[in-house]
Amino acid sequence: MVAHPLEPGEDASPFDPSTGGAAGPSTSRAGRNLPVAIGVGVLLLVGVAASLWFRPEPFVAVAAVAVGAALWELRQAFARRDIHLPMLPLLVGGVGMVVSAYAAGPEALLVAYVLTVGAVVVWRVLDGPGPQALRDSAAAVFAATYVPFLAGFVLLLLAQPDGELKVALFILLAVANDTGGYIAGVTMGRHPLAPTVSPKKTWEGLAGSVVLATAVGVAGAVLALDGGVVLGVVLGVLTAITATVGDLAESLIKRDLELKDMGSLLPGHGGVLDRLDSLVVTAPFVYLVLTMAPSTAP
């Protein structure tokens, strides 16, 4: 659950447009303190690796905490638009989805999701009907879908044979996607990818994400999963595309809410949701590809 301090494809030239001059040596164009961001990123990666090392249960706990923190950040962000999420049923349902996905599979994840959606709607309507209740309920359903339901696919991966290896590969794909996009954006980024949504993302950065994620995908598929090169290529390209979509989707949300970051829990990175945005969108696709891996690999 770690990523590079910049988003994939962001250009981090040393010129600081906010001051009209050169940025400090430790600050990127995106306004991040790079040494702090890299240090926190490494600690996150080590923590996740440690949680996967001996038994899978600690990773389930880490995932539940991350989901809860991301939901809390969404609550704070939506409050800026006078939208109030019913947190108790969301948090209980979020943990329930994470645990159900690992313990009982996709059917249990779906049941927990449906129960959570029902609970947040009923909870909010009982608190008071009307247009505001409709807005809050719709936002709560979005939050339940966006964070714990999509994150549940990571736990479905974990429950599979060699689940720890599959989750580790999934995370390394995300790291490779961000790192490749960052390096290519710094060295070659010239053509904006989606200037109205995220001006710093470039096509060159996306190409860097594809290249490095594909390299990691091929290495992981062949060495860790006994798969084939085709499987690795599919994983790498799919990760680069879905992670970029996830980043852009969160950028749209933050632009609408007039936020730079969803939170400040992770120094140099912003909030937990700023690190999970690409992961949660990518997780269902990686799960589907690896579930069908025997028919995908040559």
Side-chain angles (χ1 to χ4, degrees):
M1 294 183 179
V2 63
H4 202 279
L6 289 185
E7 304 297 340
E10 284 191 351
D11 182 2
S13 72
F15 184 81
D16 185 352
S18 64
T19 62
S26 64
T27 304
S28 75
R29 183 176 171 181
R32 308 292 187 191
N33 185 315
L34 289 181
V36 171
I38 292 171
V40 170
V42 171
L43 287 176
L44 287 173
L45 188 59
V46 170
V48 170
S51 70
L52 287 168
W53 187 256
F54 296 108
R55 291 186 59 84
E57 287 80 4
F59 181 82
V60 178
V62 169
V65 170
V67 163
L71 287 172
W72 186 264
E73 290 173 351
L74 270 182
R75 174 186 181 273
Q76 300 294 100
F78 284 168
R80 296 170 59 90
R81 290 288 184 265
D82 197 31
I83 298 173
H84 304 286
L85 300 180
M87 285 307 295
L88 183 58
L90 264 181
L91 289 173
V92 172
V95 173
M97 278 186 259
V98 167
V99 174
S100 297
Y102 172 70
E107 295 84 0
L109 171 61
L110 182 59
V111 170
Y113 169 70
V114 172
L115 290 175
T116 301
V117 167
V120 296
V121 172
V122 171
W123 186 284
R124 181 57 188 88
V125 171
L126 290 177
D127 198 38
Q132 183 64 46
L134 180 61
R135 293 180 65 203
D136 293 348
S137 297
V141 172
F142 167 78
T145 306
Y146 183 41
V147 182
F149 178 68
L150 293 181
F153 285 89
V154 182
L155 282 305
L156 293 179
L157 267 183
L158 184 64
Q160 292 183 348
D162 296 323
E164 293 91 340
L165 291 176
K166 292 179 179 179
V167 171
L169 177 57
F170 164 71
I171 294 171
L172 290 176
L173 282 167
V175 173
N177 172 76
D178 286 358
T179 304
Y182 171 71
I183 294 173
V186 168
T187 57
M188 298 178 290
R190 296 294 181 271
H191 301 89
L193 175 63
T196 60
V197 179
S198 184
K200 295 183 179 69
K201 286 185 173 60
T202 63
W203 284 103
E204 292 83 0
L206 177 60
S209 295
V210 171
V211 170
L212 191 54
T214 300
V216 169
V218 170
V222 173
L223 299 178
L225 302 181
D226 294 325
V229 172
V230 172
L231 173 62
V233 171
V234 170
L235 285 171
V237 174
L238 195 60
T239 295
I241 294 172
T242 56
T244 299
V245 170
D247 287 327
L248 292 175
E250 200 214 18
S251 294
L252 279 172
I253 296 171
K254 291 191 291 189
R255 184 176 291 270
D256 184 64
L257 297 173
E258 298 179 353
L259 289 170
K260 175 178 173 58
D261 295 316
M262 279 293 187
S264 56
L265 289 174
L266 302 177
H269 291 261
V272 173
L273 191 54
D274 294 305
R275 295 302 88 205
L276 296 183
D277 55 358
S278 59
L279 292 174
V280 294
V281 175
T282 301
F285 295 95
V286 172
Y287 167 75
L288 290 173
V289 169
L290 290 181
T291 299
M292 298 184 298
S295 61
T296 304

